[in-house]
Amino acid sequence: MYVCLCNAITDRQIKETVAAGASSLTDLQAQLGVATCCGCCADLASSFLSCHHENQTNCSKPNFK
């Protein structure tokens, strides 16, 4: 699914980047460009980081507000 519509970034791309070592929203912004335009996707993108850091291997539906 698309997480960042402005830059056409998918959840798969975010998961792969986090698995490769991205540990902050700043890392995701630098590597993918997520949350660099309107910023509406920042919370959802960050939730993938939280999910990964909690060692949940199957996080297909991250929690966000």
Side-chain angles (χ1 to χ4, degrees), residues 17-47:
T17 303
V18 171
S23 60
S24 67
L25 180 58
T26 302
D27 289 343
L28 293 176
Q29 289 172 317
Q31 294 177 41
L32 295 175
V34 69
T36 58
C37 287
C38 75
C40 289
C41 60
D43 288 342
L44 181 55
S46 294
S47 71

Side-chain angles (χ1 to χ4, degrees), residues 5-6 9 12-14 16-17 26 29-30 32-33 36 39 42-43 45-46 48 51-52 62 64:
L5 297 178
C6 296
I9 308 297
R12 178 177 286 175
Q13 290 172 286
I14 294 173
E16 289 172 354
T17 303
T26 302
Q29 289 172 317
L32 295 175
T36 58
D43 288 342
S46 294
F48 286 98
C51 180
H52 182 76
F64 64 98

